[in-house]
């Protein structure tokens, strides 16, 4: 029986994080269900120039990811009768990446205004792995309260806060994106090679980037 990871993309800035997570899951041979919110389509267009249209999702998502889609299914965000809206749908868990303040609030209070919020609420109530990736900064008290509510409901709250030990201070934007995506995939328990893991050796990352120790 197919048991996909649901990936929800909300309208916060940070769609490259979603692309990296999706790519890692597909590279690992994992089945994926994708939900892109209405606001996320605008953000995706603004940040990447890519479009995601319900009627042409296969071509659009393949162009955005730049790869074969493998075992990826797509659900329109407005389809509240879709499979992921029910607890009987056999999902393994869900990631909301990036997670806007509105999406976090809606999931935390059970608003279910679209399929993304409903699917996340379903995964929480079914006690499945649920990861939310807030990116906005600074945060208000209400946002913090919603994140605490998500944590208390069983979600992993994983802010888009990249580490530099794998690539150093001269890390590229893609390396920082992949670090956050790797932490997300770690939270799902899926193997990946998105970043170099800490081994306890100070300076190892620098020596690997420049074995001769020069500038």
């Amino acid at each position: 029986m197919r048991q996909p990871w649901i990936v929800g993309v909300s309208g916060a800035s940070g769609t490259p994080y979603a692309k990296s997570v999706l790519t890692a899951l597909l590279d690992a041979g994992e089945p994926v269900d994708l939900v892109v919110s209405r606001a996320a389509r605008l953000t995706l267009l603004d940040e990447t120039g890519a479009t995601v249209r319900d009627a042409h999702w296969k071509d659009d998502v393949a162009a955005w990811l730049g790869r074969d889609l493998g075992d990826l299914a797509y659900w329109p965000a407005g389809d509240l009768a879709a499979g992921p809206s029910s607890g009987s749908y056999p999902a393994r868990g869900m990631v909301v990446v990036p997670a806007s303040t509105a999406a976090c609030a809606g999931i935390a209070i059970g608003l279910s205004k679209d399929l993304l919020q409903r699917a996340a609420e379903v995964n929480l109530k079914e006690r499945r792995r649920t990861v939310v990736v807030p990116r906005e900064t600074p945060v208000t008290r209400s946002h913090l309260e919603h994140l605490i509510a998500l944590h208390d409901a069983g979600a992993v709250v994983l802010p888009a806060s990249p580490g530099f030990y794998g690539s150093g201070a001269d890390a590229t934007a893609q390396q920082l994106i992949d670090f956050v995506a790797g932490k997300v995939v770690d939270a799902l328990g899926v193997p990946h090679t998105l970043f170099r893991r800490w081994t306890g050796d100070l300076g190892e990352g620098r020596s690997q980037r420049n074995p001769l120790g020069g500038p």
Side-chain angles (χ1 to χ4, degrees):
M1 180 174 59
R2 183 177 183 272
Q3 235 182 334
W5 295 107
I6 302 169
V7 176
V9 185
S10 76
S13 176
T15 54
Y17 292 120
K19 178 181 178 180
S20 186
V21 169
L22 286 165
T23 299
L25 291 175
L26 294 173
D27 283 347
E30 297 287 328
V32 174
D33 281 11
L34 176 63
V35 181
V36 181
S37 76
R38 182 178 178 182
R41 298 184 192 201
L42 298 176
T43 307
L44 183 63
L45 180 64
D46 183 58
E47 293 184 342
T48 71
T51 57
V52 175
R53 300 164 294 176
D54 291 346
H56 305 280
W57 71 266
K58 287 185 178 179
D59 291 337
D60 289 349
V61 175
W64 171 37
L65 299 183
R67 57 164 296 144
D68 177 82
L69 295 182
D71 189 358
L72 185 146
Y74 173 85
W75 299 94
D79 185 4
L80 289 174
S85 68
S86 172
S88 66
Y89 185 74
R92 292 183 64 188
M94 182 167 180
V95 178
V96 182
V97 55
S100 67
T101 55
C104 289
I107 298 165
I109 66 175
L111 185 60
S112 294
K113 78 163 192 175
D114 61 11
L115 180 60
L116 186 152
Q117 292 185 18
R118 172 59 184 169
E121 181 188 359
V122 165
N123 277 269
L124 286 173
K125 80 179 182 67
E126 297 295 329
R127 298 296 189 263
R128 297 170 183 156
R129 294 190 187 188
T130 306
V131 181
V132 294
V133 186
R135 190 223 51 84
E136 189 163 341
T137 186
V139 295
T140 64
R141 180 183 180 90
S142 64
H143 187 34
L144 290 171
E145 289 173 345
H146 289 138
L147 294 179
I148 291 172
L150 290 172
H151 172 274
D152 290 348
V156 175
V157 178
L158 199 156
S161 301
F164 288 81
Y165 55 79
S167 304
D170 59 348
T172 65
Q174 189 60 54
Q175 287 172 319
L176 299 179
I177 291 166
D178 285 346
F179 182 93
V180 172
K183 296 292 284 185
V184 172
V185 179
D186 276 351
L188 300 179
V190 175
H192 68 86
T193 57
L194 286 169
F195 58 76
R196 184 186 69 84
R197 297 186 182 277
W198 177 248
T199 63
D201 296 323
L202 290 172
E204 182 181 5
R206 293 193 301 276
S207 64
Q208 287 185 0
R209 292 191 305 276
N210 190 354
L212 298 180

